[in-house]
Amino acid sequence: MHANFKNTHVTNTHECQLVAHRDAQNDVDMRVSLASLSMKNPLTVASGTFASGREYADFIDISRLGAITTKGVSACAWEGNDQGRLAETPSGILNSIGLQNKGAKHFIENDLAWLKQQQTRVIVNVCGHSYDEYFQALDALEQASGIDAYEINISCPNVDAGGMALGTQPNAVERIVSLLRERTCKTLIIKLTPNVTDIAEIARAAESAGADALSLINTLLGMAIDAHRRRPILSRVVGGLSGPAIKPVALRCVWQVHKAVNIPILGMGGVASGTDVAEFMLAGASAVAIGTENFVDPCATMRILDELYTYAREQHITHISELIGGLEC
Ligand SMILES: Cc1cc2nc3c(=O)[nH]c(=O)nc-3n(C[C@H](O)[C@H](O)[C@H](O)COP(=O)(O)O)c2cc1C
């Protein structure tokens, strides 16, 4: 799928390789860490927009990414929602995919085997409809080797239970995080929804229950209507808005959460350029994920990484981590 909400060109593999070549001449220390997860640079991809990376390997050098974040993995296979799962909007898209995936066993045997060879960190996004489903998925993944961190999606607007509802109540967040914490020593990143009144309160609940890091934001709840048919465009009526339209909300959330907690943040929401990444880091993110922009340009991650280098050189930055929380207000 190629969204077309702004003027852009799809670069080809050759251009991506040229960008990769320039890494060798880089004089900026791009290393960052998300708690115990060290990354060669701050860039990863947003869950659900990059599958498990294999489809993108024809376009980009996956090993240049600081990490790959996989699509959501559940204990058993999920079919996802009915068709009518995508709608384009000004500067964004609405999706109601419903976390379609083939389950943990299939992921471990197929995707993880490939991911392990990619010379980048592997963050596995985990989803469930119930507490038990989260536990089963995590327990299955714990048996496998090659996973560096988990990103727990307690914020999806497109599943009935175990999704956004779980991530909107501080008590429920504390409970799920503390129970997952008991089951793994790996870096535990909790993904938050922006669809709450006070995201700082939710962030503090996750931190106090043992989260190592927080990722934000998931999509914003929205809807689209076909006036001629007098019907909703999405089969579930509402879905999650992503892309440049949500960037101001995402920046605000990262900034508020950074002030509220002492654990690192993986920021995302509408990132489309190197300076967008810098903005998220200034707001308080230690690492940044590229999501919907991958649909516009499959080489987006390489271009954005290159732009971030250029920004850092222009700003006379020697360590990219200098940016984290550096906003002057
Ligand atoms: C098509 C699509 C599928 C997504 N699937 C997931 C998912 O499986 N798990 C998850 O935590 N977030 C999922 N997300 C949310 C993204 O990871 C990200 O939080 C959000 O899209 C904001 O970033 P962006 O504006 O850069 O896309 C999905 C987003 C899109 C557009």
Side-chain angles (χ1 to χ4, degrees):
M1 186 193 84
H2 290 288
N4 189 29
F5 40 75
K6 65 175 195 184
N7 288 334
T8 184
H9 70 287
V10 174
T11 46
N12 61 30
T13 310
H14 177 63
E15 283 173 83
C16 285
Q17 282 165 352
L18 290 180
V19 170
H21 182 66
R22 286 205 287 275
D23 274 7
Q25 301 158 15
N26 183 48
D27 49 359
V28 182
D29 183 348
M30 298 293 275
R31 290 172 298 173
V32 294
S33 53
L34 274 176
S36 55
L37 183 75
S38 56
M39 293 166 61
K40 63 181 92 168
N41 65 59
L43 286 206
T44 183
V45 289
S47 177
T49 66
F50 204 74
S52 289
R54 223 187 275 219
E55 292 84 345
Y56 283 84
D58 288 342
F59 296 97
I60 67 165
D61 177 358
I62 301 274
S63 73
R64 285 189 72 212
L65 293 172
I68 290 188
T69 307
T70 70
K71 65 188 169 182
V73 177
S74 51
C76 301
W78 290 2
E79 285 193 356
N81 296 329
D82 292 339
Q83 287 310 311
R85 309 202 288 187
L86 282 175
E88 205 163 319
T89 68
S91 282
I93 55 171
L94 275 166
N95 93 82
S96 169
I97 306 291
L99 301 178
Q100 179 180 356
N101 78 98
K102 292 184 174 162
K105 184 168 182 293
H106 183 276
F107 170 79
I108 292 165
E109 288 170 1
N110 296 275
D111 301 316
L112 190 57
W114 180 84
L115 281 166
K116 280 197 270 193
Q117 298 165 5
Q118 301 312 307
Q119 298 173 333
T120 185
R121 299 295 187 198
V122 177
I123 303 174
V124 177
N125 183 283
V126 179
C127 54
H129 287 111
S130 64
Y131 285 88
D132 268 351
E133 284 190 17
Y134 281 100
F135 302 154
Q136 285 166 22
L138 194 76
D139 292 350
L141 293 164
E142 279 288 275
Q143 304 304 312
S145 66
I147 298 173
D148 296 300
Y150 298 110
E151 181 186 62
I152 311 294
N153 179 5
I154 55 166
S155 51
C156 181
N158 299 318
V159 291
D160 285 325
M164 202 176 78
L166 188 59
T168 55
Q169 307 294 330
N171 291 348
V173 171
E174 250 183 85
R175 176 149 182 249
I176 182 87
V177 175
S178 57
L179 291 169
L180 290 169
R181 178 74 286 170
E182 287 170 9
R183 298 175 115 84
T184 183
C185 297
K186 294 206 172 94
T187 308
L188 192 59
I189 307 167
I190 305 299
K191 186 159 181 180
L192 306 185
T193 173
N195 301 300
V196 290
T197 307
D198 183 1
I199 195 166
E201 184 188 21
I202 306 290
R204 280 192 291 265
E207 179 185 38
S208 70
D212 293 311
L214 302 170
S215 66
L216 55 140
I217 59 174
N218 208 317
T219 53
L220 276 163
L221 204 54
M223 67 187 281
I225 292 175
D226 181 337
H228 297 286
R229 293 172 57 237
R230 301 188 179 199
R231 297 183 67 83
I233 292 175
L234 298 176
S235 59
R236 285 173 58 97
V237 184
V238 297
L241 181 65
S242 63
I246 72 168
K247 196 185 97 179
V249 178
L251 281 174
R252 183 267 297 170
C253 289
V254 168
W255 180 68
Q256 286 181 329
V257 168
H258 177 67
K259 288 192 299 173
V261 300
N262 292 310
I263 51 178
I265 296 169
L266 169 55
M268 70 196 81
V271 175
S273 70
T275 49
D276 287 348
V277 174
E279 290 170 28
F280 273 80
M281 294 185 77
L282 288 166
S286 295
V288 176
I290 317 299
T292 301
E293 188 65 12
N294 290 304
F295 300 143
V296 179
D297 172 5
C299 295
T301 46
M302 303 293 100
R303 170 180 56 76
I304 291 169
L305 185 55
D306 205 41
E307 290 169 359
L308 186 61
Y309 283 133
T310 304
Y311 166 86
R313 283 195 205 102
E314 283 170 3
Q315 294 281 318
H316 308 294
I317 289 168
T318 50
H319 296 81
I320 202 73
S321 57
E322 289 167 30
L323 288 175
I324 302 167
L327 187 70
E328 296 170 15
C329 299

